[in-house]
PDB file of all heavy atoms in Angstrom:
ATOM      1  N   ARG A  72     -59.077  -9.272  18.716  1.00 97.00           N
ATOM      2  CA  ARG A  72     -57.877  -8.649  18.183  1.00 97.00           C
ATOM      3  C   ARG A  72     -58.127  -7.254  17.700  1.00 97.00           C
ATOM      4  O   ARG A  72     -59.205  -6.889  17.201  1.00 97.00           O
ATOM      5  CB  ARG A  72     -57.300  -9.477  17.005  1.00 97.00           C
ATOM      6  CG  ARG A  72     -56.816 -10.824  17.419  1.00 97.00           C
ATOM      7  CD  ARG A  72     -56.301 -11.597  16.255  1.00 97.00           C
ATOM      8  NE  ARG A  72     -55.834 -12.947  16.644  1.00 97.00           N
ATOM      9  CZ  ARG A  72     -55.357 -13.840  15.825  1.00 97.00           C
ATOM     10  NH1 ARG A  72     -55.279 -13.574  14.547  1.00 97.00           N
ATOM     11  NH2 ARG A  72     -54.993 -15.018  16.287  1.00 97.00           N
ATOM     12  N   SER A  73     -57.081  -6.443  17.813  1.00 98.00           N
ATOM     13  CA  SER A  73     -57.080  -5.124  17.257  1.00 98.00           C
ATOM     14  C   SER A  73     -55.713  -4.833  16.697  1.00 98.00           C
ATOM     15  O   SER A  73     -54.694  -5.342  17.203  1.00 98.00           O
ATOM     16  CB  SER A  73     -57.411  -4.048  18.287  1.00 98.00           C
ATOM     17  OG  SER A  73     -57.340  -2.696  17.801  1.00 98.00           O
ATOM     18  N   THR A  74     -55.672  -4.039  15.626  1.00 97.00           N
ATOM     19  CA  THR A  74     -54.404  -3.606  15.096  1.00 97.00           C
ATOM     20  C   THR A  74     -54.372  -2.105  14.976  1.00 97.00           C
ATOM     21  O   THR A  74     -55.403  -1.494  14.730  1.00 97.00           O
ATOM     22  CB  THR A  74     -54.114  -4.237  13.728  1.00 97.00           C
ATOM     23  OG1 THR A  74     -55.101  -3.831  12.812  1.00 97.00           O
ATOM     24  CG2 THR A  74     -54.071  -5.727  13.787  1.00 97.00           C
ATOM     25  N   LEU A  75     -53.213  -1.540  15.138  1.00 97.00           N
ATOM     26  CA  LEU A  75     -52.998  -0.119  14.853  1.00 97.00           C
ATOM     27  C   LEU A  75     -52.005  -0.022  13.718  1.00 97.00           C
ATOM     28  O   LEU A  75     -50.841  -0.475  13.819  1.00 97.00           O
ATOM     29  CB  LEU A  75     -52.457   0.601  16.103  1.00 97.00           C
ATOM     30  CG  LEU A  75     -52.188   2.082  15.900  1.00 97.00           C
ATOM     31  CD1 LEU A  75     -53.461   2.844  15.647  1.00 97.00           C
ATOM     32  CD2 LEU A  75     -51.443   2.668  17.113  1.00 97.00           C
ATOM     33  N   TYR A  76     -52.441   0.554  12.624  1.00 97.00           N
ATOM     34  CA  TYR A  76     -51.624   0.700  11.438  1.00 97.00           C
ATOM     35  C   TYR A  76     -51.154   2.149  11.365  1.00 97.00           C
ATOM     36  O   TYR A  76     -51.927   3.053  11.482  1.00 97.00           O
ATOM     37  CB  TYR A  76     -52.494   0.343  10.187  1.00 97.00           C
ATOM     38  CG  TYR A  76     -51.824   0.577   8.884  1.00 97.00           C
ATOM     39  CD1 TYR A  76     -50.932  -0.390   8.313  1.00 97.00           C
ATOM     40  CD2 TYR A  76     -52.080   1.727   8.135  1.00 97.00           C
ATOM     41  CE1 TYR A  76     -50.329  -0.132   7.086  1.00 97.00           C
ATOM     42  CE2 TYR A  76     -51.490   1.946   6.890  1.00 97.00           C
ATOM     43  CZ  TYR A  76     -50.651   0.997   6.424  1.00 97.00           C
ATOM     44  OH  TYR A  76     -50.018   1.220   5.157  1.00 97.00           O
ATOM     45  N   ILE A  77     -49.847   2.323  11.214  1.00 97.00           N
ATOM     46  CA  ILE A  77     -49.234   3.647  11.088  1.00 97.00           C
ATOM     47  C   ILE A  77     -48.620   3.710   9.705  1.00 97.00           C
ATOM     48  O   ILE A  77     -47.697   2.929   9.351  1.00 97.00           O
ATOM     49  CB  ILE A  77     -48.228   3.908  12.176  1.00 97.00           C
ATOM     50  CG1 ILE A  77     -48.812   3.769  13.544  1.00 97.00           C
ATOM     51  CG2 ILE A  77     -47.583   5.329  11.988  1.00 97.00           C
ATOM     52  CD1 ILE A  77     -47.840   3.939  14.693  1.00 97.00           C
ATOM     53  N   ALA A  78     -49.113   4.628   8.904  1.00 97.00           N
ATOM     54  CA  ALA A  78     -48.605   4.788   7.529  1.00 97.00           C
ATOM     55  C   ALA A  78     -47.442   5.805   7.495  1.00 97.00           C
ATOM     56  O   ALA A  78     -47.458   6.779   8.246  1.00 97.00           O
ATOM     57  CB  ALA A  78     -49.693   5.259   6.580  1.00 97.00           C
ATOM     58  N   ALA A  79     -46.473   5.548   6.645  1.00 97.00           N
ATOM     59  CA  ALA A  79     -45.381   6.482   6.402  1.00 97.00           C
ATOM     60  C   ALA A  79     -44.782   7.033   7.726  1.00 97.00           C
ATOM     61  O   ALA A  79     -44.837   8.218   8.005  1.00 97.00           O
ATOM     62  CB  ALA A  79     -45.858   7.647   5.549  1.00 97.00           C
ATOM     63  N   SER A  80     -44.254   6.117   8.522  1.00 97.00           N
ATOM     64  CA  SER A  80     -43.829   6.471   9.851  1.00 97.00           C
ATOM     65  C   SER A  80     -42.787   7.614   9.819  1.00 97.00           C
ATOM     66  O   SER A  80     -41.977   7.708   8.913  1.00 97.00           O
ATOM     67  CB  SER A  80     -43.267   5.229  10.584  1.00 97.00           C
ATOM     68  OG  SER A  80     -42.202   4.669   9.843  1.00 97.00           O
ATOM     69  N   GLN A  81     -42.768   8.357  10.926  1.00 97.00           N
ATOM     70  CA  GLN A  81     -41.858   9.504  11.109  1.00 97.00           C
ATOM     71  C   GLN A  81     -41.169   9.384  12.443  1.00 97.00           C
ATOM     72  O   GLN A  81     -41.719   8.750  13.388  1.00 97.00           O
ATOM     73  CB  GLN A  81     -42.646  10.801  11.046  1.00 97.00           C
ATOM     74  CG  GLN A  81     -43.439  11.039   9.788  1.00 97.00           C
ATOM     75  CD  GLN A  81     -44.392  12.207   9.900  1.00 97.00           C
ATOM     76  OE1 GLN A  81     -44.469  12.871  10.909  1.00 97.00           O
ATOM     77  NE2 GLN A  81     -45.124  12.459   8.804  1.00 97.00           N
ATOM     78  N   PRO A  82     -39.961   9.954  12.584  1.00 97.00           N
ATOM     79  CA  PRO A  82     -39.264   9.932  13.886  1.00 97.00           C
ATOM     80  C   PRO A  82     -40.173  10.415  15.036  1.00 97.00           C
ATOM     81  O   PRO A  82     -40.064   9.924  16.146  1.00 97.00           O
ATOM     82  CB  PRO A  82     -38.041  10.797  13.666  1.00 97.00           C
ATOM     83  CG  PRO A  82     -37.744  10.652  12.220  1.00 97.00           C
ATOM     84  CD  PRO A  82     -39.105  10.575  11.543  1.00 97.00           C
ATOM     85  N   GLY A  83     -41.049  11.364  14.760  1.00 96.00           N
ATOM     86  CA  GLY A  83     -41.926  11.859  15.782  1.00 96.00           C
ATOM     87  C   GLY A  83     -42.948  10.874  16.235  1.00 96.00           C
ATOM     88  O   GLY A  83     -43.633  11.117  17.245  1.00 96.00           O
ATOM     89  N   ASP A  84     -43.095   9.747  15.562  1.00 97.00           N
ATOM     90  CA  ASP A  84     -44.000   8.712  15.967  1.00 97.00           C
ATOM     91  C   ASP A  84     -43.391   7.822  17.067  1.00 97.00           C
ATOM     92  O   ASP A  84     -44.064   6.985  17.615  1.00 97.00           O
ATOM     93  CB  ASP A  84     -44.387   7.797  14.771  1.00 97.00           C
ATOM     94  CG  ASP A  84     -45.212   8.531  13.726  1.00 97.00           C
ATOM     95  OD1 ASP A  84     -45.926   9.489  14.072  1.00 97.00           O
ATOM     96  OD2 ASP A  84     -45.057   8.191  12.558  1.00 97.00           O
ATOM     97  N   SER A  85     -42.083   8.022  17.296  1.00 97.00           N
ATOM     98  CA  SER A  85     -41.448   7.198  18.347  1.00 97.00           C
ATOM     99  C   SER A  85     -42.055   7.476  19.726  1.00 97.00           C
ATOM    100  O   SER A  85     -42.153   8.609  20.174  1.00 97.00           O
ATOM    101  CB  SER A  85     -39.927   7.582  18.405  1.00 97.00           C
ATOM    102  OG  SER A  85     -39.341   7.280  17.188  1.00 97.00           O
ATOM    103  N   ALA A  86     -42.561   6.378  20.297  1.00 97.00           N
ATOM    104  CA  ALA A  86     -43.263   6.449  21.595  1.00 97.00           C
ATOM    105  C   ALA A  86     -43.660   5.047  21.991  1.00 97.00           C
ATOM    106  O   ALA A  86     -43.422   4.078  21.224  1.00 97.00           O
ATOM    107  CB  ALA A  86     -44.507   7.335  21.488  1.00 97.00           C
ATOM    108  N   THR A  87     -44.277   4.869  23.129  1.00 96.00           N
ATOM    109  CA  THR A  87     -44.909   3.633  23.464  1.00 96.00           C
ATOM    110  C   THR A  87     -46.412   3.676  23.202  1.00 96.00           C
ATOM    111  O   THR A  87     -47.054   4.662  23.561  1.00 96.00           O
ATOM    112  CB  THR A  87     -44.654   3.308  24.968  1.00 96.00           C
ATOM    113  OG1 THR A  87     -43.280   3.165  25.211  1.00 96.00           O
ATOM    114  CG2 THR A  87     -45.393   2.028  25.368  1.00 96.00           C
ATOM    115  N   TYR A  88     -46.885   2.678  22.491  1.00 97.00           N
ATOM    116  CA  TYR A  88     -48.324   2.628  22.133  1.00 97.00           C
ATOM    117  C   TYR A  88     -49.015   1.642  22.998  1.00 97.00           C
ATOM    118  O   TYR A  88     -48.613   0.449  23.093  1.00 97.00           O
ATOM    119  CB  TYR A  88     -48.452   2.293  20.625  1.00 97.00           C
ATOM    120  CG  TYR A  88     -47.977   3.457  19.781  1.00 97.00           C
ATOM    121  CD1 TYR A  88     -46.612   3.644  19.536  1.00 97.00           C
ATOM    122  CD2 TYR A  88     -48.856   4.353  19.265  1.00 97.00           C
ATOM    123  CE1 TYR A  88     -46.176   4.711  18.792  1.00 97.00           C
ATOM    124  CE2 TYR A  88     -48.422   5.450  18.463  1.00 97.00           C
ATOM    125  CZ  TYR A  88     -47.043   5.624  18.279  1.00 97.00           C
ATOM    126  OH  TYR A  88     -46.619   6.683  17.531  1.00 97.00           O
ATOM    127  N   LEU A  89     -50.079   2.105  23.635  1.00 96.00           N
ATOM    128  CA  LEU A  89     -50.774   1.238  24.589  1.00 96.00           C
ATOM    129  C   LEU A  89     -52.204   0.970  24.029  1.00 96.00           C
ATOM    130  O   LEU A  89     -52.869   1.843  23.498  1.00 96.00           O
ATOM    131  CB  LEU A  89     -50.938   1.924  25.935  1.00 96.00           C
ATOM    132  CG  LEU A  89     -49.628   2.332  26.631  1.00 96.00           C
ATOM    133  CD1 LEU A  89     -49.924   3.202  27.820  1.00 96.00           C
ATOM    134  CD2 LEU A  89     -48.913   1.072  27.091  1.00 96.00           C
ATOM    135  N   CYS A  90     -52.611  -0.272  24.228  1.00 96.00           N
ATOM    136  CA  CYS A  90     -53.983  -0.702  23.851  1.00 96.00           C
ATOM    137  C   CYS A  90     -54.737  -0.939  25.148  1.00 96.00           C
ATOM    138  O   CYS A  90     -54.154  -1.513  26.106  1.00 96.00           O
ATOM    139  CB  CYS A  90     -53.810  -1.985  23.042  1.00 96.00           C
ATOM    140  SG  CYS A  90     -55.395  -2.883  22.779  1.00 96.00           S
TER     141      CYS A  90
END
Side-chain angles (χ1 to χ4, degrees):
Chain A
R72 293 180 182 178
S73 176
T74 61
L75 179 66
Y76 175 83
I77 303 177
S80 58
Q81 303 170 358
D84 295 329
S85 298
T87 296
Y88 290 81
L89 299 171
C90 168

